[in-house]
Amino acid sequence: MKNTDYLKSPDLLPSTQKERVVSTFGFGVMWVGMAIVISAFALGGAGMANLSLFWVLAASMVGCILIGLFMTITSDVGIEHGLSFPVYIRAPFGTVGTHIPALIRATTASIWFGINTYFGATAMNAIFNIFWGFDNWFICFIVFIAVQLTNTILGIKAIERFANLAAPTVIIIAIWMYVILGKEAASIDRNVWTWIEEPVSAGLMFTAFMLIVTGTMGYWATLANDLMNISRYVTAPRFERNWWKRNKGMWVGSIIVMPIVQTFVVAIGAIAYIAVGDYDPVAAIKLLSTSGIVLAVLFLMIVFAQWSTNTPANVVPAATVFSNIGGPKVPYFLGVIIAGAIAVLSRPWAILDVIIPFLIISGAILSATVGIIITDYYIIRKRRLNVPDLYEGDGQYRFHHGINWAGMISFILGGGVALLFQTYSFFVGCIVAGVAYYFLAKHWWFKKYQQAELEDPSDEKYLGTTVGRDWVIDVEKKEDTKVS
């Protein structure tokens, strides 16, 4: 079989029921690993400047639940139609326009992969140094990159299996770390629940609270875009029209497990700051007055946490986008390698102060995509999609030379406003882009370029799991079939 149509890359075809192998429990376990990220530790440490631990944790919980809801809403695309992020956004952006927001997301994911790997590598190096006197973090960095890439190439089931191994280990060690840091704080007469570095008035307190809420939402805005890359492999009941029942596998993980785990991680970062003046878990652990073996075990948590975060949250999204851009010539495994190459070339150890602002900016811009996805998928198309045409270069989603200008203009407007109001970037970017897209698409663009699912809003023709359908794309012919 020779495939000359780059839109029909075999790795990006809709997933079928047989390929949906991740259970509700399995996805929840994935979130245990994904929620333990350096950004969560940093938020905890930063929050202690003006808030008590209670309000820091409350802000984290609010932000996590809100962004978890957004993630579940957008991930229905994967549950319903088995589509990945770069394939679905061919609808609101066009078959060529899809590459712009997708490439921003892929680059951001690859750089986050590098940052998390760097922190994991420093912890790995510390373990080797404690037991064998080995001290070369860069070798650890390269080895850690290779191990994670291999795990990702093996597929979603391999990622889930590692999560099953890592999750209980990470939870046990994290609780242990919390206790040790709490004792360290007590030893210098600091009550973790009442200590505040610089208390502020009610007005400034609310601002500090919202900074944690929006900060939490900002760095997870990336997954609010493309958690469908994972949801397309999560089990879902066929012929289920109830949204909550159909998406149970997603909201249990994103709205329950993630907020609980991440808020606990924020607590560790906050208490580390109270105890030793540094939220960075690697730096904080090094400052603890404890034995070498205890330190090694604590460092192991950092290694496992970065690994279980990176594979599903960063490498999979990036690889999927690169495969979409390159078509069949860039299979999924090559996309994984490209993500690894960018992670190394970004040199997170040398330009961390520059990378973090870039990631904040890119996260703000991607908030616009979330608003566009929700508006396009739910409000305009009512979850119906002409899936076969997503894989046709001359189909309805080609629009104007491959670009849906309603989506592109809305993306620029939403992203621009998000950059102007970075404190509330996710909210303003999402709302502005969503509203702009509604009016531009519904009252302008789709009048010029008719959409089959709007002209004939048939559930039987244009829904997937809800009507028991697996979308099957024929990559050899210009014909598409569907099976129930």
Side-chain angles (χ1 to χ4, degrees):
M1 178 186 72
K2 185 177 180 180
N3 182 9
T4 58
D5 189 346
Y6 84 97
L7 294 177
K8 295 180 178 178
S9 177
D11 294 310
L12 299 180
L13 298 178
S15 63
T16 63
Q17 286 291 326
K18 290 182 179 179
E19 295 171 306
R20 301 186 183 197
V21 294
V22 179
S23 65
T24 299
F25 177 80
F27 180 64
V29 169
M30 281 188 186
W31 259 124
V32 172
M34 288 195 293
I36 302 178
V37 291
I38 191 65
S39 303
F41 290 108
L43 273 179
M48 295 312 300
N50 304 123
L51 298 172
S52 68
L53 181 59
F54 173 82
W55 288 111
V56 169
L57 300 187
S60 171
M61 185 65 74
V62 170
C64 286
I65 291 173
L66 286 174
I67 196 64
L69 180 59
F70 276 100
M71 289 179 190
T72 307
I73 289 171
T74 58
S75 63
D76 184 70
V77 176
I79 292 290
E80 181 66 39
H81 297 286
L83 296 174
S84 62
F85 169 68
V87 171
Y88 164 70
I89 61 171
R90 292 171 185 173
F93 287 95
T95 53
V96 175
T98 180
H99 299 321
I100 295 176
L103 194 55
I104 293 174
R105 168 54 177 138
T107 304
T108 302
S110 299
I111 294 174
W112 267 121
F113 174 42
I115 291 174
N116 290 339
T117 298
Y118 170 62
F119 280 107
T122 57
M124 183 185 296
N125 185 64
I127 295 173
F128 290 151
N129 192 28
I130 289 170
F131 288 113
W132 300 287
F134 177 87
D135 188 12
N136 191 317
W137 67 263
F138 185 73
I139 290 178
C140 291
F141 178 80
I142 297 300
V143 170
F144 197 24
I145 283 269
V147 170
Q148 292 173 94
L149 294 182
T150 301
N151 183 215
T152 310
I153 288 172
L154 291 174
I156 194 70
K157 201 62 186 175
I159 294 173
E160 184 189 7
R161 288 193 187 102
F162 176 75
N164 289 335
L165 167 67
T169 306
V170 167
I171 290 173
I172 292 170
I173 299 176
I175 293 172
W176 188 17
M177 186 176 180
Y178 176 91
V179 172
I180 290 175
L181 287 168
K183 289 180 178 178
E184 194 78 13
S187 70
I188 55 174
D189 295 323
R190 288 183 175 179
N191 185 315
V192 297
W193 291 103
T194 59
W195 186 86
I196 305 174
E197 191 169 38
E198 295 180 10
V200 293
S201 62
L204 292 176
M205 179 179 171
F206 177 75
T207 299
F209 182 90
M210 288 306 299
L211 281 173
I212 297 176
V213 172
T214 55
T216 300
M217 297 183 72
Y219 69 75
W220 284 125
T222 50
L223 273 187
N225 278 271
D226 61 11
L227 195 58
M228 61 187 78
N229 289 331
I230 302 297
S231 70
R232 64 197 291 249
Y233 296 111
V234 174
T235 56
R238 300 178 71 170
F239 302 102
E240 179 56 72
R241 290 187 173 272
N242 183 285
W243 188 89
W244 289 100
K245 291 180 180 179
R246 191 174 61 254
N247 285 283
K248 178 184 176 183
M250 301 308 296
W251 63 258
V252 167
S254 300
I255 303 179
I256 297 178
V257 177
M258 184 271 279
I260 292 172
V261 176
Q262 177 156 330
T263 298
F264 181 64
V265 175
V266 167
I268 293 176
I271 295 174
Y273 188 82
I274 295 170
V276 299
D278 198 328
Y279 69 82
D280 178 351
V282 176
I285 291 170
K286 288 179 179 178
L287 293 172
L288 292 175
S289 53
T290 188
S291 68
I293 293 178
V294 172
L295 287 176
V297 173
L298 295 176
F299 281 128
L300 182 65
M301 184 202 75
I302 305 302
V303 175
F304 273 22
Q306 303 315 302
W307 182 348
S308 54
T309 296
N310 267 336
T311 48
N314 293 319
V315 187
V316 169
T320 304
V321 169
F322 295 136
S323 182
N324 179 62
I325 293 173
K329 292 183 179 179
V330 182
Y332 175 72
F333 81 87
L334 187 55
V336 170
I337 294 172
I338 293 172
I342 293 175
V344 175
L345 293 174
S346 68
R347 301 174 70 243
W349 58 87
I351 54 174
L352 198 58
D353 291 339
V354 178
I355 285 177
I356 293 297
F358 164 75
L359 294 172
I360 292 172
I361 290 171
S362 62
I365 292 172
L366 287 171
S367 67
T369 314
V370 177
I372 292 170
I373 290 173
I374 293 173
T375 302
D376 180 78
Y377 182 65
Y378 285 97
I379 299 176
I380 295 180
R381 301 184 195 273
K382 306 278 192 304
R383 297 180 41 252
R384 304 182 188 99
L385 281 171
N386 185 5
V387 171
D389 265 32
L390 288 170
Y391 295 88
E392 294 295 339
D394 56 355
Q396 71 177 55
Y397 303 109
R398 174 172 170 75
F399 299 113
H400 180 255
H401 301 297
I403 297 177
N404 178 343
W405 283 107
M408 292 305 303
I409 293 170
S410 302
F411 179 67
I412 293 169
L413 286 174
V417 173
L419 291 177
L420 290 175
F421 301 95
Q422 288 190 25
T423 301
Y424 302 98
S425 60
F426 183 87
F427 294 110
V428 295
C430 183
I431 293 171
V432 169
V435 171
Y437 183 77
Y438 176 81
F439 286 103
L440 290 174
K442 188 175 181 64
H443 299 291
W444 169 49
W445 201 248
F446 291 163
K447 290 185 181 295
K448 296 180 62 175
Y449 298 93
Q450 292 187 346
Q451 304 293 284
E453 58 270 50
L454 301 184
E455 298 300 313
D456 177 21
S458 167
D459 289 355
E460 291 302 318
K461 288 183 180 179
Y462 301 116
L463 286 181
T465 299
T466 297
V467 295
R469 172 184 293 119
D470 282 341
W471 291 105
V472 179
I473 307 301
D474 190 331
V475 297
E476 294 186 90
K477 304 175 183 178
K478 289 294 183 179
E479 299 173 2
D480 297 278
T481 60
K482 59 192 179 186
V483 296
S484 298

